[in-house]
Amino acid sequence: MAIFEVAGRRFVIEGKRVAHVVTIGANGKLIHTYFGAKLPYRDDYEALPSPVVAHSSFESPDGVATYDFVPFGEMLYTEPTLKSEREDGQRIHQFQFERSEQTETKLTLWLFDPLQEMRVGVQYEVFTDYDIIGRSIVVENTGRLPVRLTAAQSFAMGRWHQPNLKLHHFAGMWTGEFKKQITPVTPGRQTIESRRGVTSHQANPWFALEQDATEDSGEVVYGHFAYSGNWAIHVEQDAFGFVQLSGGMNPFDFSWKLSHQQQLTTPTFYIGYADGFADMSAHAHAFQRDVIMPRATERPVLYNSWEATYFDVTESGQRELVDLAAGIGCELFVVDDGWFGERHSDQAGLGDWHVNREKFPNGLEPLISYVKQQGLQFGLWVEPEMVNPDSDLYRSHPDWIYHARDAVRTTSRNQYVLNLGLPEVEQFILEMMDDLLTRHAIDYIKWDMNRAFSEPGVPKDQTDRQQELWKRHVDALYRIFDELRRLHPTVDFEACAGGGGRIDLGILSRTEQVWTSDNTDPLDRLQIQHDFSYAYNAKMMSCWVTDGPNWLNGRNVPLATRFVSSMQGTLGIGGNLSEWSTDELAEAKGWIETYQAIRPTIQRGIQYRLSAFTQQTPSVMQYTSEEETVLLAIAPLRQYGTHQYHFKLKGLDPAMRYQVEDRTLSGAYLMQQGLTFSYTTDYEARCLRIQPVHRALSLLESKETIV
Ligand code: GLA
């Protein structure tokens, strides 16, 4: 049984290997008691102490501890899970435990606060096979007076008696997303967050916490927040060594009003437990593929026109690219920015979602038919949440953007953010997209979002509802996605925000893939993709092979290197194929065929980070499925005459024999001795497929000599 109660008002939530234990304290508090490896007996769970350190009048009389729910107003000073103010000024909470409610996989602990007349359900959902527990709270105003929430986080929990904890998180920027940071947890508070209205390039709602973990072993607690707006994750350590974790929607500039009997359910924060980072990634990747992401099918090889034509998209120009893309084996052709309105640069046209008749004299239909005749699917770029000041939409609705009376309206990339909280704006976007998808045989939408918010104001709203706009935006966005997916169930969606500015489990539950970064330099990408893989799977990760020299840094690396780097995820082509030589096109065709053959393993297999790319070390990524193991390797800079690198494989069956080019080697050999790759030039790339030959008898029994 996954969820059960033991003596002492204690609830145990078990996964395959993990247990989360919460105790109802005498005062109705939810004392976080345990999160770690599953224990064999109920007695063990009963024996767990509820850590309480009574110390001085400067600490709570209930003791210092960690909690699964922290209401504001009591003698607890960590980030509150819930903070609110009733219309009559009451802002203190005193929750009491009421009852529990449970199914096989879900537990809700109901609490009631008579002071503000609010009921809260602290919700847990266990995904047993992945050792992941979904956390959220539901808040209901049961009183007559309206209540304004100013903090509503999705989870709180603790760690204790664990010195030397380290927090892993992402920092980044446009064209440099997902740089994993490792920060020691010290007394005080660390917060990672976004205040930009969108998930952000600068940080990502993911964390991992560990003491002594390596790729291969060691306890790791990690979390993913399923939300695409302002978010925060807090790690707070007190002087007694207790570490309180919490996270959810960012309380910064947050507010949400609940009238009588209204409810708010927070987005889900998924907390996982793993043994080492490889195990963490494997479980998170599988959870995303199986539970979060909408479709199990493999992702096609796409062609995208952006770097080839930028805003200069025309029917004839795109047709030429279709021929070339089809010729090398692409399966999906995506027309990027520039097909609509007066969109000749990023200065104008956003918001005017009608086909530009100079560029496409007979609309999109002839191009779409042409794409389909060549056997490809058709995709289109949109950026529906935005408007250029130079557009008919803005000229007719200047009040449809976030703005404040008399304040400057800041443009960024020459555009404003539309206020999706206005029902007329939500309806405009939904109808525009529905119309586009109804009128054209579009298979794929790349949904972009190219700036962060500013002047977050809604002049016609009441003053006490201004801070609701952050959540209203995300709620409307999700409703639009959900409705479009319902109306057009076969259309695939790609999430993009100037590259990786909106990648999280909220948007991923509505999209098939993401645009990882606008940085298409294959070497920079190796580093971005390596760190990305800690949190997110390969299948969602769009990677394009583009032109050399690269637009961002002028670097030119061999086509093979560009391919092998991009084959680490869902392969795409983003170069100007009309400038590729016949030899390059032939080579590209070969690589795409190879990718199609290894695709099931890349997109569905278990990924192992064998070596992280630097100028001195190779990139070696391993993907293993039942059928085969694929190695994607890129050599470092060729320095001092060095011409070899060495690595050991992981996750193979030691007794299984594998065909490695012309040799037959056991899993034990590959994992103990490993392989050596030679290289003659900088960044030389290799893709090696290794298939199991037959299951050997145990080494001792067979007394075979292993090569
Ligand atoms: C963003 C995206 C790019 C491209 C451009 C179009 O920067 O990340 O891939 O679509 O917008 O303007």
Side-chain angles (χ1 to χ4, degrees):
M1 200 168 44
I3 298 175
F4 54 95
E5 192 176 348
V6 295
R9 297 223 291 180
R10 184 164 279 183
F11 292 89
V12 180
I13 303 155
E14 284 187 338
K16 215 169 37 183
R17 299 170 304 176
V18 69
H20 179 126
V21 182
V22 52
T23 308
I24 314 296
N27 48 10
K29 286 192 171 65
L30 302 189
I31 300 173
H32 181 82
T33 308
Y34 181 79
F35 187 86
K38 203 160 132 175
L39 303 174
Y41 306 111
R42 288 171 86 96
D43 292 353
D44 291 329
Y45 291 119
E46 282 171 15
L48 286 169
S50 290
V52 168
V53 183
H55 183 65
S56 78
S57 59
F58 296 95
E59 309 290 357
S60 164
D62 301 323
V64 180
T66 57
Y67 296 94
D68 272 21
F69 176 72
V70 181
F72 173 76
E74 299 182 346
M75 218 167 162
L76 300 176
Y77 308 102
T78 47
E79 279 295 319
T81 323
L82 185 72
K83 185 167 184 292
S84 65
E85 182 171 343
R86 200 164 62 172
E87 205 172 68
D88 62 357
Q90 177 62 272
R91 26 188 239 115
I92 307 308
H93 291 297
Q94 259 163 27
F95 278 97
Q96 293 299 321
F97 177 71
E98 276 191 332
R99 67 194 168 86
S100 66
E101 196 181 301
Q102 77 189 67
T103 65
E104 287 252 310
T105 55
K106 291 185 187 172
L107 170 70
T108 305
L109 300 176
W110 288 103
L111 309 168
F112 184 70
D113 167 21
L115 296 185
Q116 293 193 50
E117 294 176 278
M118 292 169 82
R119 181 162 283 116
V120 162
V122 176
Q123 309 184 119
Y124 306 79
E125 180 173 8
V126 61
F127 298 87
T128 312
D129 290 344
Y130 310 91
D131 284 314
I132 287 175
I133 297 173
R135 299 282 312 267
S136 58
I137 64 168
V138 51
V139 187
E140 186 185 345
N141 177 6
T142 60
R144 294 264 151 218
L145 292 177
V147 172
R148 202 163 62 87
L149 311 183
T150 53
Q153 297 203 77
S154 295
F155 90 103
M157 62 179 273
R159 300 255 83 193
W160 53 289
H161 294 326
Q162 281 197 321
N164 308 321
L165 279 176
K166 288 177 283 278
L167 172 69
H168 297 233
H169 59 102
F170 292 121
M173 58 187 182
W174 177 71
T175 63
E177 298 88 337
F178 299 100
K179 295 182 178 151
K180 192 159 81 63
Q181 312 293 309
I182 306 177
T183 318
V185 175
T186 52
R189 190 186 76 172
Q190 289 174 31
T191 294
I192 51 169
E193 63 176 349
S194 166
R195 300 179 172 191
R196 295 162 190 264
V198 65
T199 318
S200 96
H201 300 80
Q202 286 72 16
N204 188 268
W206 169 86
F207 74 90
L209 205 64
E210 51 84 26
Q211 195 173 16
D212 50 12
T214 64
E215 280 292 294
D216 305 319
S217 66
E219 197 172 61
V220 184
V221 177
Y222 67 100
H224 282 95
F225 187 37
Y227 188 63
S228 312
N230 287 347
W231 57 271
I233 296 168
H234 310 283
V235 180
E236 300 171 82
Q237 185 179 348
D238 68 16
F240 299 91
F242 287 91
V243 174
Q244 178 79 34
L245 297 172
S246 60
M249 289 185 290
N250 199 335
F252 173 80
D253 202 41
F254 168 82
S255 141
W256 195 261
K257 196 164 171 175
L258 291 181
S259 301
H260 177 53
Q261 288 189 335
Q262 279 187 330
Q263 284 193 349
L264 173 138
T265 302
T266 64
T268 306
F269 212 119
Y270 295 97
I271 308 292
Y273 179 78
D275 184 21
F277 298 122
D279 182 61
M280 168 188 77
S281 301
H283 281 83
H285 293 179
F287 178 68
Q288 290 152 14
R289 274 192 305 261
D290 303 347
V291 180
I292 297 293
M293 295 173 68
R295 270 191 248 288
T297 43
E298 284 168 21
R299 305 303 311 141
V301 176
L302 72 70
Y303 177 82
N304 180 295
S305 66
W306 174 242
E307 287 191 28
T309 54
Y310 291 104
F311 297 96
D312 190 17
V313 286
T314 59
E315 187 183 325
S316 54
Q318 297 293 299
R319 270 178 188 259
E320 193 185 329
L321 290 169
V322 173
D323 289 339
L324 292 162
I328 58 172
C330 293
E331 298 156 326
L332 161 66
F333 186 88
V334 184
V335 175
D336 209 277
D337 200 351
W339 58 269
F340 53 91
E342 291 306 312
R343 187 75 170 163
H344 308 292
S345 70
D346 62 15
Q347 311 240 346
L350 274 181
D352 300 339
W353 299 105
H354 50 83
V355 181
N356 182 304
R357 291 282 167 163
E358 276 165 39
K359 299 179 181 181
F360 297 89
N362 299 305
L364 289 176
E365 220 38 62
L367 178 66
I368 297 178
S369 308
Y370 191 67
V371 168
K372 306 253 161 150
Q373 277 161 26
Q374 309 305 310
L376 278 75
Q377 293 186 309
F378 180 79
L380 195 64
W381 179 96
V382 291
E383 193 180 359
E385 295 156 83
M386 299 288 160
V387 66
N388 284 120
D390 186 1
S391 67
D392 292 340
L393 183 70
Y394 186 72
R395 281 183 281 274
S396 32
H397 298 291
D399 55 341
W400 274 16
I401 64 163
Y402 296 112
H403 67 289
R405 259 184 302 275
D406 304 327
V408 166
R409 297 176 173 210
T410 305
T411 52
S412 190
R413 207 192 190 211
N414 307 302
Q415 64 196 54
Y416 298 128
V417 188
L418 287 173
N419 176 356
L420 267 62
L422 296 175
E424 56 273 33
V425 175
E426 181 178 342
Q427 197 183 345
F428 165 79
I429 295 175
L430 178 61
E431 284 176 4
M432 176 280 283
M433 287 300 302
D434 180 35
D435 185 57
L436 196 63
L437 294 174
T438 305
R439 284 208 275 137
H440 303 291
I442 294 172
D443 304 295
Y444 181 92
I445 287 288
K446 175 178 173 186
W447 185 299
D448 210 340
M449 199 282 187
N450 273 311
R451 64 158 291 183
F453 291 35
S454 64
E455 295 85 40
V458 188
K460 70 181 191 192
D461 263 12
Q462 300 142 349
T463 45
D464 66 347
R465 302 206 88 135
Q466 291 287 316
Q467 294 165 314
E468 298 191 357
L469 67 87
W470 306 103
K471 174 165 157 45
R472 287 192 189 285
H473 189 100
V474 184
D475 288 351
L477 179 76
Y478 287 172
R479 274 195 301 271
I480 295 169
F481 263 96
D482 294 345
E483 187 58 5
L484 288 175
R485 294 195 71 101
R486 195 185 66 76
L487 294 169
H488 305 278
T490 58
V491 176
D492 287 347
F493 287 85
E494 170 179 349
C496 175
R502 187 157 61 192
I503 300 178
D504 58 78
L505 266 51
I507 204 76
L508 278 167
S509 65
R510 298 165 170 92
T511 46
E512 276 65 32
Q513 62 191 76
V514 296
W515 181 222
T516 324
S517 177
D518 276 343
N519 189 337
T520 50
D521 171 73
L523 303 185
D524 284 357
R525 262 307 186 94
L526 287 178
Q527 291 174 330
I528 294 172
Q529 293 170 186
H530 179 270
D531 284 7
F532 182 91
S533 76
Y534 281 90
Y536 299 108
N537 69 33
K539 177 179 154 182
M540 74 173 77
M541 183 173 76
S542 284
C543 314
W544 303 345
V545 175
T546 60
D547 297 335
N550 186 266
W551 71 274
L552 184 61
N553 52 24
R555 190 156 41 218
N556 210 349
V557 298
L559 190 58
T561 307
R562 285 181 259 156
F563 264 97
V564 171
S565 170
S566 296
M567 283 157 63
Q568 287 189 349
T570 279
L571 177 65
I573 310 295
N576 189 356
L577 294 179
S578 45
E579 289 181 3
W580 289 23
S581 68
T582 319
D583 284 353
E584 285 174 323
L585 290 170
E587 186 182 340
K589 189 166 191 259
W591 281 117
I592 290 175
E593 276 163 15
T594 303
Y595 182 76
Q596 285 159 336
I598 62 175
R599 173 163 50 193
T601 300
I602 301 286
Q603 295 191 7
R604 289 207 307 263
I606 298 178
Q607 187 174 356
Y608 297 94
R609 294 170 288 265
L610 302 190
S611 171
F613 179 77
T614 66
Q615 291 295 329
Q616 286 80 39
T617 52
S619 163
V620 187
M621 212 47 109
Q622 174 189 333
Y623 303 78
T624 294
S625 65
E626 300 256 303
E627 295 77 39
E628 70 175 340
T629 282
V630 175
L631 292 169
L632 298 178
I634 291 177
L637 189 69
R638 180 107 203 263
Q639 275 185 310
Y640 316 121
T642 311
H643 60 97
Q644 282 189 332
Y645 55 90
H646 182 80
F647 55 90
K648 293 178 179 179
L649 282 75
K650 292 187 176 173
L652 302 178
D653 179 346
M656 181 95 81
R657 308 196 75 183
Y658 296 87
Q659 194 65 42
V660 185
E661 295 180 314
D662 55 357
R663 293 189 292 169
T664 305
L665 303 171
S666 72
Y669 178 99
L670 292 166
M671 293 191 291
Q672 301 301 323
Q673 166 60 28
L675 292 175
T676 301
F677 279 0
S678 300
Y679 61 109
T680 51
T681 56
D682 294 345
Y683 318 128
E684 200 170 292
R686 284 193 69 174
C687 166
L688 182 66
R689 301 177 66 182
I690 296 174
Q691 272 125 7
V693 177
H694 62 269
R695 181 172 289 278
L697 292 170
S698 99
L699 301 182
L700 281 176
E701 276 171 15
S702 68
K703 296 198 174 54
E704 278 183 81
T705 315
I706 300 300
V707 187

